[in-house]
Every structure is written in C-alpha cells, then in structure tokens.
Amino acid sequence: MTVTIPEVISEPRILSERLAALRRQGKKVGLVPTMGALHDGHLSLVRQSKELCDVTVVSIFVNPTQFAPGEDYEKYPRVLDADLARLESVGGVDFVLAPKPADIYPEGFDAHVHIGGVTRRLEGEFRPTHFDGVALVVLKLFNMSGADLAFFGQKDYQQAAVIQKMVRDLNLQIGIRVCPIVREADGLAMSSRNKYLSPSERAEAPVLKRALDLARRMIAEGESDTGRIKEKMRELIGSAPSSAIDYISIADPETLDELERVGGGAVILLAVKIGSTRLIDNTLVPSDI
C-alpha cells in the first residue's frame, strides 16, 4: 500500500489556496471534519473519501464554540502525532488542517450560525449552544476547503441532520455522505470519549447497543407503541449500575419529531451517562422491518 504523507497546515488561507489550485485542475475534493483522537470510525470516513474523491483533507480541530461551560473542552484528547500515524494506517491523506483556535476564530470574530427545526430537541435540549457551534465551524470548513463532498458518521445522527439542513437551507454546493456507525466487538459505538470510561464502566457501556437491539426486536415482533418500547429500553439500561439516561427518543428520521407509534421508518436515539461519561448512540428502523 502506497502511503500519502499529508501536508499538515495550520492556516486556513494556505489550505484554501492549495485546494483551489487542485480544483482548477479538475480534482474532486473530499473533506472529513474531526476533532482528532481518531479511531476506526473516523478512518472509515477517510476510506470513503479516498474512494470517492481525488483529494482528501482531514481537519483536526477541537472546536471551542460547540462546548458549553463545564463540558470537557479542556480535557478532550489532543494527540496530533498519534492521529497522523492512524491516517498512515489507511494509506494517508493529502492534507491535514490542524489549526489553533485563533486561526479559526481570529480577534474580532463575531459571527453566528443557527439552524432551527432539527436542533430543538434531544442534544439541542441538553446542550443548547452545541449545534450553533457545530454549524459555525462546519460552515467555515466548507468555505475554506471548497470541498465537493463531506463525510460524517451516523453515530452523531442529529449532527448529520443539522449539517444536511444547513446545506439545503443555505444552498451550499457540497454533497454530504453519512457513513454507518463503526462498533467495537461488543457493540459499543466507537467514540473518542470512550477513553474516559473506567474498566467497570467500559464493561457496562454496551448496554446502549443492547437497548437499541431490544427496540428493533420489539418492532419486528409487531410492537408499535413507542411508550412501551421506551419503557423496556429504560429497564434494560437501568440494569447497568452506573447508568443515567438523558433521553430515549423514537423519532421521524428526517424531522426528528417524536413518534407515538412506529408505522413506517424511524430512528431510535439515546444519550446515556455511564459514570461521568456521556455516550450517544442510535439505530435506523426501516419501514419494512
């Protein structure tokens, strides 16, 4: 396997110049936005970009505007050298954007992006400023890269829905690809925050996936009342001693409006604290299950 050693760039202006020159040559640019601490879930997005695009750029930036006071911004892992090594394991990429906060939000910066509708519930209720920060940084990444395609993971289902709505609402000329969740062998969705779990908490964490599987089985067996499904999910998650549920939602896959009955397709989403670590997961339920 030939490994492409990335050009690591900190200044957005330089990245824009490099990519503009490649686009003028007819190259198709793929963007994989990340906050670093890369795992196999991120690498699956990189593989998709390398398959579909001529040029792949990965951003590694812990974005301060999507963290509220008291969240884990300061302790979020920053391991650029390890991230570059992980990228080598899939053959490397063309560019890595690794800016400092001041490179993205220079002195005097005072712009805001708010996407309504899909942000009002779930993560938007528990983290009210989160999606404004996500939309802001992603819009900036889209603008500075001029990418043709951007790749996001289904694990952050609501985030992907927000980005897709932003692209539609603002007529952005970029395609969005949402790639399947990548899981550990025991079902736990891969996440940079899994590193926060103690050994005993890590043993409990797969209860999220088991609860999602339980809901799918109930629906497949004919249960359509979402209240009964969520009750059984709560009972199962509650069997994990250090768990605390923020929400369980069975919703319309596009609007994220809560459903009282499952009569067609649905998405089941949950956020659960295992100890002090907050984990999210989801599963799509097709209309023909």
Side-chain angles (χ1 to χ4, degrees):
M1 177 177 63
T2 302
V3 176
T4 302
I5 304 300
E7 181 178 356
V8 180
I9 296 173
S10 62
E11 295 183 43
R13 177 186 57 80
I14 294 175
L15 179 72
S16 296
E17 292 172 354
R18 297 282 196 279
L19 294 176
L22 289 166
R23 291 198 310 277
R24 286 194 294 269
Q25 298 172 23
K27 303 293 186 181
K28 186 175 185 178
V29 175
L31 170 69
V32 182
T34 84
M35 293 205 301
L38 302 182
H39 51 66
D40 284 349
H42 296 115
L43 297 184
S44 73
L45 308 182
V46 173
R47 290 188 187 97
Q48 279 289 296
S49 179
K50 287 165 66 73
E51 180 178 335
L52 296 176
C53 301
D54 303 304
V55 176
T56 291
V57 55
V58 174
S59 64
I60 296 177
F61 177 60
V62 183
N63 174 38
T65 65
Q66 68 190 69
F67 290 81
E71 292 188 340
D72 59 342
Y73 174 70
E74 295 297 336
K75 73 172 185 175
Y76 198 90
R78 294 160 170 84
V79 287
L80 180 60
D81 288 344
D83 288 339
L84 295 175
R86 294 301 312 269
L87 291 173
E88 283 189 24
S89 73
V90 293
V93 298
D94 299 280
F95 299 96
V96 169
L97 176 66
K100 295 180 173 61
D103 296 320
I104 301 297
Y105 305 114
E107 185 176 357
F109 183 90
D110 192 21
H112 303 273
V113 178
H114 176 73
I115 307 300
V118 294
T119 63
R120 72 183 185 279
R121 299 183 57 250
L122 308 174
E123 294 300 290
E125 180 179 348
F126 282 85
R127 307 176 70 192
T129 63
H130 173 67
F131 287 124
D132 288 357
V134 169
L136 176 60
V137 75
V138 170
L139 181 59
K140 287 175 70 69
L141 290 170
F142 287 175
N143 286 338
M144 67 182 67
S145 68
D148 299 280
L149 291 175
F151 298 82
F152 296 86
Q154 183 191 319
K155 186 186 78 69
D156 296 291
Y157 188 94
Q158 189 175 13
Q159 172 179 280
V162 171
I163 299 306
Q164 289 170 313
K165 189 173 192 301
M166 178 175 73
V167 167
R168 291 193 303 270
D169 288 0
L170 300 182
N171 303 107
L172 302 179
Q173 299 304 301
I174 187 170
I176 304 299
R177 297 290 186 272
V178 181
C179 302
I181 298 171
V182 177
R183 299 184 179 278
E184 303 284 0
D186 59 6
L188 179 63
M190 290 190 176
S191 168
S192 301
R193 289 187 168 93
N194 291 349
K195 297 176 182 179
Y196 299 161
L197 297 166
S198 70
S200 62
E201 292 166 350
R202 176 62 184 82
E204 293 179 24
V207 75
L208 277 73
K209 178 61 162 56
R210 294 201 299 274
L212 294 170
D213 290 344
L214 170 63
R216 287 178 62 95
R217 286 197 303 273
M218 291 179 69
I219 294 168
E221 292 167 1
E223 181 61 76
S224 62
D225 186 297
T226 60
R228 284 196 288 267
I229 296 168
K230 286 187 279 190
E231 180 181 358
K232 292 298 184 182
M233 293 177 71
R234 289 190 190 96
E235 290 176 4
L236 177 55
I237 294 170
S239 68
S242 55
S243 67
I245 298 170
D246 273 358
Y247 61 76
I248 298 174
S249 174
I250 303 178
D252 179 280
E254 293 188 9
T255 66
L256 297 185
D257 290 336
E258 196 71 18
L259 300 174
E260 293 184 0
R261 305 194 73 82
V262 181
V267 59
I268 307 173
L269 309 104
L270 44 74
V272 179
K273 288 180 181 174
I274 302 292
S276 61
T277 303
R278 188 173 185 274
L279 304 176
I280 59 174
D281 204 344
N282 66 83
T283 188
L284 282 164
V285 179
S287 57
D288 58 351
I289 191 172

